[in-house]
């Protein structure tokens, strides 16, 4: 098919093109999508045009109509009450940690190759007082849930309490691998 998702040295699969997609691209040639990081993605000409023509307002006063529309649209798509736009994944990760961990001395379990652990300068610890407890990532970016279970400390006031299992999807250091819906559901069930 015309859309082939490529990750560093591996092919994740082929996504079929719709008739409308083929018409927009005016081509049936393969389109490569690099999923390693949001910072390696380059906007298309139409994306740049949309940015140039976007209505803007002041984000501090909450009157940017384009951002407000984006937040509403994504909230609706995900079945959530509201959305919040942040300009980087690091900011999003910090907000997630801060909203799910109530305070100092709690911990997030994440992969040793996760962006949160490897690239974010210890922000969870320095800004939120939350520890990152790492387990080994599998080659596909997932975490072995048996290893995660073993890493959870007993309920004891001497130990940091695990409050969050952080999964990276797509996974930067694993070449942009995508975690399957089945794995995400299994991890979600594990956390309950």
């Amino acid at each position: 098919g015309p859309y082939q998702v490529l990750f560093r040295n591996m092919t994740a699969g082929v996504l079929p093109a719709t008739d409308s997609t083929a018409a927009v691209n005016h081509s049936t040639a393969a389109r490569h999508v690099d999923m390693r990081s949001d910072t390696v993605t380059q906007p298309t000409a139409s994306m740049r045009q949309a940015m140039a023509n976007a209505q803007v307002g002041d984000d501090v006063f909450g009157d940017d109509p384009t951002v407000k529309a984006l937040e509403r649209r994504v909230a609706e798509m995900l079945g959530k009450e509201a959305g919040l736009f942040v300009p980087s994944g690091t900011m999003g990760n910090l907000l997630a940690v801060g909203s799910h961990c109530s305070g100092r001395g709690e911990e997030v379990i994440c992969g040793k190759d996760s962006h949160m652990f490897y690239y974010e300068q210890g922000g969870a610890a320095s800004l939120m007082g939350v520890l990152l407890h790492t387990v080994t990532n599998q080659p596909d970016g997932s975490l072995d849930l048996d290893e995660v279970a073993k890493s959870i400390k007993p309920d004891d006031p001497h130990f940091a309490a695990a409050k969050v299992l952080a999964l990276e999807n797509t996974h930067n250091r694993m070449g942009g691998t995508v975690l399957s819906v089945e794995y995400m559901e299994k991890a979600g069930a594990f956390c309950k």
Side-chain angles (χ1 to χ4, degrees), residues 61-112:
F61 296 115
D63 63 5
D64 186 312
T66 302
V67 169
K68 289 170 72 172
L70 174 66
E71 291 172 342
R72 277 192 307 275
R73 181 174 181 196
V74 173
E76 289 170 6
M77 289 171 61
L78 299 176
K80 301 297 181 183
E81 182 179 329
L84 176 64
F85 171 76
V86 293
S88 77
T90 298
M91 288 181 189
N93 286 343
L94 286 171
L95 287 172
V97 168
S99 64
H100 291 289
C101 294
S102 62
R104 299 188 174 280
E106 294 179 341
E107 72 181 12
V108 171
I109 299 173
C110 62
K112 73 173 186 64

Side-chain angles (χ1 to χ4, degrees), residues 103-132:
R104 299 188 174 280
E106 294 179 341
E107 72 181 12
V108 171
I109 299 173
C110 62
K112 73 173 186 64
D113 288 310
S114 68
H115 195 281
M116 180 182 285
F117 177 72
Y118 205 88
Y119 291 115
E120 296 181 13
Q121 298 179 330
S126 63
L127 299 172
M128 309 289 179
V130 175
L131 304 171
L132 298 181

Side-chain angles (χ1 to χ4, degrees), residues 3 18 25 31 39 42-43 63 81 90 97-98 100 112 117-118 133 147-148 150 157 160 164 184:
Y3 289 98
T18 63
N25 290 331
R31 179 175 175 197
T39 59
Q42 296 297 310
D63 63 5
E81 182 179 329
T90 298
V97 168
H100 291 289
K112 73 173 186 64
F117 177 72
Y118 205 88
H133 183 129
E147 290 301 313
V148 171
K150 291 175 190 173
V164 173
M184 297 294 286

